Amino acid sequence: VSLVAVNTTLAAASAGISSLYLNYYLMERKTGEGNFSLFAAMNGCLAGLVGSTGGCAVVEPWAAVIIGFVAGLSYLVTSKLLVRLRIDDAVDAIPVHMTNGIWGTFAVGLFASPPRIEYAYGQSNDVGVFMGGNGTLLLCQIISILFVLGWVACLMVPFFCLLNYMGRLRSESVDEVEGLDYRYHGSRKQDTMTVEETPTMHILHPYGEGNRQLLQNIKRYEERRLRESGQVPLSNNNTATEGD
């Protein structure tokens, strides 16, 4: 148990540091000024925890540091790739859990230590490739990764295709602007927030100028809120003035 605790902690710390400094480097290259992102550090720690799960009982502490370091880098690279591919993952679940779940499983086949495996399982028919293994354990880990990917794909692809066919895969653009908490649960985080202040307007910028239809929906949403509050939308007010 003590080894598991030590390896898990070391991997999380190592991943947090690697993702923090890689994010700083990328921001400095992009904007000319880097910043230490707490979001990148915290998700990096989670990535290290995920990456260390498969081998926390069978690797040495120095190997846990390496596994965590790679996990932090792979998390951030995958996160940036999803943004570039315009795939919505607001909480970075794919970079943290899927990418580093795969890496952690694969890493067992690289760093599994003979005495640790024997202590945990009572025998050590094969160990990690970097620890003198013949590759059998690594091959088993790769097969398990492919099996899990295939199993999840066979179950979930038809499910999401069905949701998409039924029109339930994602919310309407207007609902996203107004806030899903309000549309689905009847509450809003900030009732006084104007459209210009909503995070949606800022989310559009990383992807360019945004979607014209979405911007039109934002305008309609603002006009609807003005009508609900008893005010006349600006467009209607101008029309009435011209008519007078």
Side-chain angles (χ1 to χ4, degrees):
V1 176
S2 59
L3 178 67
V4 171
V6 169
N7 284 345
T8 303
T9 304
L10 288 174
S14 178
I17 292 173
S18 65
S19 62
L20 179 69
Y21 279 95
L22 178 60
N23 182 75
Y24 182 93
Y25 172 77
L26 294 176
M27 290 298 297
E28 188 177 37
R29 290 291 300 273
K30 182 178 181 180
T31 65
E33 181 177 356
N35 65 79
F36 292 104
S37 169
L38 182 61
F39 184 82
M42 293 178 66
N43 270 350
C45 289
L46 289 176
L49 294 173
V50 174
S52 68
T53 300
C56 58
V58 297
V59 301
E60 301 294 340
W62 62 265
V65 174
I66 296 176
I67 292 172
F69 189 87
V70 175
L73 301 180
S74 63
Y75 147 69
L76 202 59
V77 170
T78 307
S79 178
K80 301 295 184 183
L81 178 62
L82 291 182
V83 173
R84 182 177 295 273
L85 296 176
R86 300 171 64 90
I87 297 176
D88 184 16
D89 186 5
V91 296
D92 275 343
I94 293 174
V96 170
H97 295 280
M98 190 194 80
T99 301
N100 287 291
I102 293 173
W103 159 241
T105 305
F106 185 81
V108 174
L110 301 177
F111 297 105
S113 171
R116 303 301 184 184
I117 288 185
E118 188 169 357
Y119 182 80
Y121 299 104
Q123 58 181 357
S124 56
N125 296 329
D126 191 31
V127 295
V129 172
F130 294 160
M131 308 299 290
N134 58 23
T136 302
L137 178 59
L138 179 61
L139 179 61
C140 291
Q141 297 300 105
I142 294 175
I143 292 174
S144 66
I145 292 171
L146 296 176
F147 177 82
V148 172
L149 290 175
W151 174 263
V152 173
C154 290
L155 287 180
M156 300 312 298
V157 168
F159 175 72
F160 284 116
C161 288
L162 178 62
L163 286 181
N164 187 49
Y165 176 77
M166 297 172 63
R168 296 178 178 271
L169 187 59
R170 65 172 299 163
S171 303
E172 296 293 335
S173 298
V174 175
D175 295 339
E176 293 178 358
V177 173
E178 188 168 5
L180 300 184
D181 286 342
Y182 178 72
R183 295 300 298 171
Y184 293 132
H185 307 295
S187 63
R188 184 184 288 114
K189 182 178 180 181
Q190 290 179 312
D191 287 325
T192 59
M193 181 179 287
T194 64
V195 171
E196 288 75 10
E197 297 170 335
T198 56
T200 306
M201 296 302 294
H202 303 287
I203 291 173
L204 290 175
H205 294 296
Y207 301 103
E209 293 301 319
N211 185 299
R212 177 178 297 181
Q213 181 63 42
L214 178 57
L215 295 177
Q216 292 175 351
N217 290 336
I218 293 173
K219 182 178 180 181
R220 287 199 295 267
Y221 159 67
E222 176 66 9
E223 293 177 349
R224 185 172 67 185
R225 288 199 60 187
L226 289 174
R227 287 195 296 269
E228 290 176 354
S229 63
Q231 304 178 45
V232 179
L234 183 60
S235 57
N236 293 347
N237 193 17
N238 290 340
T239 303
T241 302
E242 292 173 0
D244 293 340

